[in-house]
């Protein structure tokens, strides 16, 4: 889950309602947690933040502290505690005990846990269901080292002879989630490191520190233990051979990485009281320092991410998408702790200085950024910081636009011979399994007419029907009791013949081409009102034209400076993009100009108009 470095899209504080919802979700998901444990993980008076990642993972934590929970799918159905949270409340999750400390080398290397590596207690394998969250512990230490979800139930595991994968690891000690906040103090951090190198049975259970002095004392004791461990040599030949088969075998690089991590843990030192104070000072900036930091982040954003072609934009968009990403790593930026107190007052103050131009939208009741004075003295004298661009597996919006512009859309309606017209195709030697365009199908039927000499001699515009052609055109379509026609005008032959075939369509965009059965479905655009007299525009059917819903939603969010969501169509197959606001006309124009969707394939319905 956290093997690759992925930068969070946004960081924000949870509202009071979202905090209560998170606490309810944790209590429902983890019945073992008590109210006191929950207060220790999610303090009632502390600010709780959430980091959103491109792969929909949400990471929750105390502001200025370490993460406590992460949500795999972003919907609350697969929420797990972090190793930090389990060190604070070790009994939050049921845990599998490893057979030996040496097996932990593979777990912290990112391998999933296999049943042969689990120590089964004398009373037997505990009961569990598939998909349950479980932790992993080493003998003699109550501090878990990893969390994951079970791949099968205990009944299925016993039937399989306790073979196969037991736990799919989602987060483990020293992965990238750990390293993102490794500087934060976590109680009992040194006990796991000792467990890897010492005899696990000789360890005493870790104790929680009640004060900074206790924490420092614990840290110093642990450092002394680690130094003693460094002086000891570990003989790899003492490890049991069958323990290496307890986990999925990683490749050579993963083995080397796991060994490096395990060997390097003895050098890890917990921060002393001085560094802890420095950490607190970092997050307790004065009002003047916050004002200076706000100005610096704004100038950095104006130089790097705010483009004139994107203006005007709402003040909230400027703050969340441009200003906050420019703040220094590990620093929390809160407008309420500045001298301005409100975002609107801060932007108006910058407007008064002449750096930017803003105007309040009376309808949205929000300040809009209209323009940037790039000749201003503050703008000209500021030198933006050069930040390294991290490579991501997912293409950004700009590259998506460039790729899309080079891929033109081609839509064609094609037809497959049906049982009604198969005799006509067979008669002229055409392949009945092939797909034909409307013009090609018309040529087939007129080729048959020419072969059988069915043109009326006295009137060249009429075609005399024989039995085969009459059945192909009208069998099953004429009501009972009605007389079959004996001749048909030439102009009606082609459309009637094509209508008796099975419709298909082919959609091509760049090198991607899809052939689907049935007529081409249209894109549906609907605008309706929600609570509070707010408009929302719904878009569905974009998959027909090879348009990715997630990429489109992200693009529309920036284009219209509004909120967008992607969800499943209720009761139907496919996805639906919801755009806040009545942008139905602009959205239709965007689909035509940017994606090349023909206008006849876009259905527009505005339910807000009377």
């Amino acid at each position: 889950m956290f093997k690759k470095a992925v930068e969070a899209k946004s960081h924000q504080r949870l509202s009071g309602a979202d905090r209560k919802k998170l606490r309810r979700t944790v209590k429902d998901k983890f019945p073992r947690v008590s109210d006191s444990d929950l207060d220790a993980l999610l303090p009632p008076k502390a600010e709780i933040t959430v980091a959103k990642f491109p792969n929909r993972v949400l990471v929750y934590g105390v502001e200025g502290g370490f993460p406590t929970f992460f949500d795999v799918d972003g919907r609350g159905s697969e929420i797990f505690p972090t190793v930090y949270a389990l060190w604070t409340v070790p009994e939050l999750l049921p845990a599998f005990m490893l057979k030996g400390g040496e097996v932990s080398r593979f777990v912290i290397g990112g391998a999933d846990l296999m049943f042969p590596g689990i120590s089964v207690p004398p009373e037997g394998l505990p009961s569990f269901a598939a998909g349950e969250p479980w932790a992993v512990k080493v003998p003699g230490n109550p501090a878990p080292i990893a969390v994951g979800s079970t791949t099968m139930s205990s009944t299925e595991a016993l039937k399989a002879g306790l073979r196969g994968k037991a736990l799919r690891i989602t987060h483990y000690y020293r992965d990238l989630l750990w390293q993102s906040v490794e500087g934060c103090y976590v109680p009992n951090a040194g006990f796991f490191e000792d467990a890897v190198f010492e005899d696990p049975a000789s360890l005493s259970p870790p104790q929680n520190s009640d004060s900074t002095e206790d924490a420092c004392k614990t840290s110093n004791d642990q450092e002394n233990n680690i130094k003693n461990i460094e002086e000891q040599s570990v003989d790899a030949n003492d490890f049991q051979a069958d323990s290496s088969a307890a986990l999925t075998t990683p490749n050579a690089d993963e083995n080397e990485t796991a060994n490096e991590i395990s060997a390097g843990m003895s050098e890890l030192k917990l921060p002393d009281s001085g560094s802890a104070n420095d950490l607190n000072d970092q997050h307790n900036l004065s009002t003047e320092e916050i004002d200076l930091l706000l100005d610096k982040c704004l100038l950095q954003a104006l130089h790097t991410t705010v483009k004139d072609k994107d203006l005007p934009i709402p003040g909230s968009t400027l703050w969340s998408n441009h200003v906050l990403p420019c703040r220094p790593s590990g620093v929390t930026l809160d407008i309420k702790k500045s001298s301005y107190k409100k975002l609107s007052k801060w932007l108006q103050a910058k407007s008064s200085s002449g750096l930017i131009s803003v105007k309040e939208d009376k309808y949205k009741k929000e300040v809009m950024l209209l323009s940037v004075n790039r000749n201003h003295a503050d703008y000209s004298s500021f030198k933006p910081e050069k930040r390294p661009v991290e490579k991501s597996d997912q293409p950004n919006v700009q590259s998506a636009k460039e790729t899309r512009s080079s891929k033109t859309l081609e839509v064609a309606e094609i037809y497959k011979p049906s049982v009604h017209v198969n005799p006509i195709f067979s008669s002229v030697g055409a392949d009945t399994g092939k797909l034909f365009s409307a013009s090609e199908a018309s040529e087939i039927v007129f080729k048959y007419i020419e072969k059988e000499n069915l043109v009326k001699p006295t009137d060249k515009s009429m075609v005399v029907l024989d039995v085969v052609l009459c059945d192909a055109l009208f069998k099953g379509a004429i009501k009972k009791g009605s007389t079959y026609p004996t001749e048909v005008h030439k102009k009606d032959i082609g459309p009637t013949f094509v209508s008796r075939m099975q419709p298909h369509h082919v959609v091509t965009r760049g090198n991607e081409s899809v052939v689907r059965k049935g007529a081409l479905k249209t894109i549906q655009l609907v605008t309706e009102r929600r609570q509070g007299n707010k408009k929302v525009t719904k878009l569905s059917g974009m998959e027909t034209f090879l348009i990715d819903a997630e990429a489109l939603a992200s693009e529309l969010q920036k284009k219209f400076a509004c909120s967008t969501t992607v969800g499943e169509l209720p009761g139907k197959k496919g996805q639906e993009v919801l755009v806040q606001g009545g942008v139905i006309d602009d959205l239709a124009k965007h689909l035509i100009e940017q994606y090349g969707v023909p206008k006849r394939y876009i259905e527009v319905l505005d339910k807000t108009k009377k």
Side-chain angles (χ1 to χ4, degrees), residues 42-158:
L42 301 173
K45 295 184 179 180
E47 293 290 346
I48 307 299
T49 61
V50 56
K52 299 181 180 180
F53 290 84
N55 56 357
R56 293 188 176 182
V57 175
L58 304 179
V59 178
Y60 299 95
V62 179
E63 186 177 41
F66 51 83
T68 52
F69 296 96
F70 62 95
D71 190 350
V72 174
D73 59 357
R75 300 177 180 176
S77 57
E78 292 187 63
I79 190 168
F80 295 88
T82 63
V83 172
Y84 301 98
L86 291 175
W87 286 4
T88 304
V89 185
E91 302 303 324
L92 180 63
L93 287 181
F96 291 118
M97 188 66 68
L98 299 181
K99 284 185 176 180
E102 65 274 9
V103 181
S104 62
R105 294 179 180 271
F106 297 92
V107 176
I108 62 176
D112 292 332
L113 179 63
M114 309 297 283
F115 277 109
I118 297 176
S119 176
V120 180
E123 58 270 17
L125 186 70
S127 177
F128 54 86
E132 286 186 356
W134 278 64
V136 179
K137 294 182 179 181
V138 292
N141 188 355
I145 65 172
V147 293
S149 59
T150 54
T151 59
M152 63 181 75
S153 65
S154 55
T155 304
E156 295 172 337
L158 293 174

Side-chain angles (χ1 to χ4, degrees), residues 450-494:
E450 183 180 355
K451 177 185 177 183
E452 299 296 332
N453 195 20
L454 298 179
V455 178
K456 191 175 182 179
T458 57
D459 189 355
K460 299 296 183 179
S461 64
M462 300 298 293
V463 176
V464 179
L465 302 180
D466 62 359
V467 176
V468 177
L469 185 57
C470 183
D471 288 346
L473 297 179
F474 300 108
K475 186 177 181 180
I478 301 296
K479 293 182 180 179
K480 291 183 178 181
S482 301
T483 305
Y484 281 85
T486 57
E487 56 184 35
V488 179
H489 199 283
K490 279 186 176 181
K491 67 178 183 179
D492 298 328
I493 291 288

Side-chain angles (χ1 to χ4, degrees), residues 522-523 545 588-589 591-592 596-604:
T522 59
I523 292 180
F545 298 93
K589 184 178 179 182
L591 293 174
I592 295 172
V597 180
K599 188 176 181 180
R600 65 180 182 276
Y601 293 122
I602 300 178
E603 290 188 12
V604 177

